[in-house]
Amino acid sequence: MASNPNPIFISSDSLHSILTHSTLIQHFHSSLPTVSSAINTPIRQHYSLSPSSSLLLMPSWSSAPSLPYIGVKLVTHFPQNSTINLPGIHANYVLFSSTTGQPLASMDGTLLTLHRTASVSGLASKILAKKNSKILIMIGAGALAPHLIKAHLSSNPSLQKVIIWNRTIKKAIDLAGTLQKSNEFKGVSFETDESLDEIVPLGDIISCATNSETPLVKGEGLKHGAHLDLVGSFRETMKECDDEAIKRGRVYVDNEAALVEAGELVGAFERGVIGKGDVGGNLVELIEGKKVGRKDCNEITVFKSVGSGVVDLLAAQLVYETFMKKNKC
């Protein structure tokens, strides 16, 4: 695609209108097997700006002719912003041509990350969840929760009910009300519940997006055939489920970084609950059919994602190329 002489700014409104979870899931499904090996994603750079604030740089670049881009996600983390009613994390994504090095576009990195994270989970549940799944349990009601709900609903049209749990129940109630009023998914009911232990056994798909350092999902409560989607943890100290959930389920990951970053897995490896060799495969292997997914309707599957520059770059590609096509640039 020809590049614009001047870099463009893609606003959050434009990004909202361009990206849907179903189109991004489809894009990942078709593109990941062909380009993932051609994308370089170095370890992210982390700089402490103060005892509490930090700057993160996440570069990636492609050598694939079908993906002629360099991308850099710049993220600031200022947790003290909550005291002035501002988000603690801000991000921008900058896209360059890998042919000429020209800057092409910049866009809201936070919104891009929310869409790509949820769409990775949606793609995984499309492959791993039972085809007749009826109930989705959403644990957490933060910024990622509505995206995860929409991604799972897009990938699993048999879902009829969503039950949302959050430590602060009002946030769960507000989210359920917003989703019900949107009428985006006709025939789906949105509910809330304050008892996590009572609703986990109901879930055909259970999606977790929290910063919890104590297990929320107890493996003994998972019903046969459940699919557990773990999104929140990205440090060894964080974990959204207990060892029993890992032991009972067949575990899959989005990429190999999850084996050293995800608290649920690192802890399970250290305690001998499972070994790295017991992990069923990664997302690309599942898409390609190199690894076997769900074997029967009674098997419990677990998918742990930590994110990567690969899906960032693919999401930015879809946004940029769609924007250029729409605006005939």
Side-chain angles (χ1 to χ4, degrees):
M1 177 168 290
S3 62
N4 235 17
N6 297 311
I8 56 175
F9 173 71
I10 301 175
S11 69
S12 298
D13 287 343
S14 293
L15 200 149
H16 264 301
S17 69
I18 290 169
L19 274 185
T20 67
H21 300 94
S22 58
T23 56
L24 193 51
I25 288 167
Q26 186 178 351
H27 183 55
F28 287 163
H29 190 273
S30 60
S31 300
L32 274 170
T34 58
V35 302
S36 59
S37 61
I39 300 175
N40 292 281
T41 54
I43 296 172
R44 65 186 179 187
Q45 299 171 52
H46 183 282
Y47 301 98
S48 294
L49 306 177
S50 74
S52 61
S53 58
S54 55
L55 168 68
L56 293 90
L57 305 178
M58 305 176 192
S60 55
W61 60 92
S62 165
S63 58
S66 62
L67 188 67
Y69 302 112
I70 303 163
V72 183
K73 185 159 69 174
L74 303 101
V75 182
T76 57
H77 183 217
F78 281 66
Q80 67 273 22
N81 279 1
S82 59
T83 61
I84 53 174
N85 203 29
L86 282 176
I89 295 177
H90 295 273
N92 196 35
Y93 197 88
V94 185
L95 197 67
F96 301 82
S97 164
S98 61
T99 306
T100 65
Q102 287 176 287
L104 301 174
S106 65
M107 62 195 78
D108 185 335
T110 303
L111 195 54
L112 190 78
T113 302
L114 292 171
H115 272 87
R116 67 83 156 147
T117 303
S119 296
V120 165
S121 285
L123 177 52
S125 71
K126 182 178 183 178
I127 297 170
L128 295 172
K130 289 189 303 182
K131 300 309 174 191
N132 64 342
S133 295
K134 298 288 191 293
I135 298 176
L136 167 64
I137 307 297
M138 183 68 235
I139 299 176
L144 188 53
H147 290 274
L148 282 164
I149 290 169
K150 291 175 183 180
H152 286 303
L153 288 174
S154 297
S155 294
N156 301 272
S158 60
L159 287 169
Q160 298 173 354
K161 182 189 291 188
V162 178
I163 306 174
I164 306 169
W165 177 91
N166 194 68
R167 282 194 176 96
T168 307
I169 191 63
K170 184 181 183 304
K171 288 186 72 175
I173 293 170
D174 290 346
L175 176 57
T178 299
L179 290 168
Q180 196 73 67
K181 286 175 190 172
S182 74
N183 209 26
E184 186 177 345
F185 295 94
K186 292 180 173 60
V188 178
S189 66
F190 297 89
E191 304 173 7
T192 63
D193 201 294
E194 294 187 65
S195 175
L196 190 54
D197 288 342
E198 288 183 13
I199 61 173
V200 164
L202 304 176
D204 295 302
I205 300 174
I206 302 165
S207 188
C208 304
T210 73
N211 291 321
S212 183
E213 296 195 347
T214 55
L216 297 171
V217 176
K218 297 179 177 66
E220 64 181 8
L222 294 170
K223 73 177 184 180
H224 291 297
H227 173 67
L228 178 59
D229 173 43
L230 303 169
V231 181
S233 74
F234 54 89
R235 289 195 302 264
E236 292 182 22
T237 56
M238 303 167 75
K239 46 188 173 292
E240 296 182 299
C241 73
D242 63 8
D243 285 348
E244 186 65 16
I246 299 298
K247 184 178 179 181
R248 289 189 66 199
R250 181 179 291 274
V251 177
Y252 299 86
V253 295
D254 62 336
N255 63 79
E256 303 310 309
L259 304 179
V260 294
E261 292 181 3
E264 300 92 347
L265 299 185
V266 173
F269 296 151
E270 289 175 348
R271 289 184 288 275
V273 177
I274 62 168
K276 289 185 179 180
D278 296 318
V279 173
N282 62 45
L283 186 57
V284 172
E285 291 171 329
L286 284 170
I287 296 168
E288 292 176 329
K290 290 181 178 177
K291 297 290 185 179
V292 177
R294 171 175 294 277
K295 292 182 177 177
D296 57 59
C297 61
N298 288 317
E299 186 174 42
I300 294 170
T301 53
V302 179
F303 180 72
K304 174 58 203 167
S305 65
V306 293
S308 76
V310 173
V311 284
D312 281 335
L313 192 61
L314 284 171
Q317 174 203 19
L318 182 63
V319 171
Y320 175 68
E321 293 183 2
T322 304
F323 180 91
M324 297 292 278
K325 201 173 293 181
K326 279 187 174 182
N327 292 276
K328 295 182 171 59
C329 298

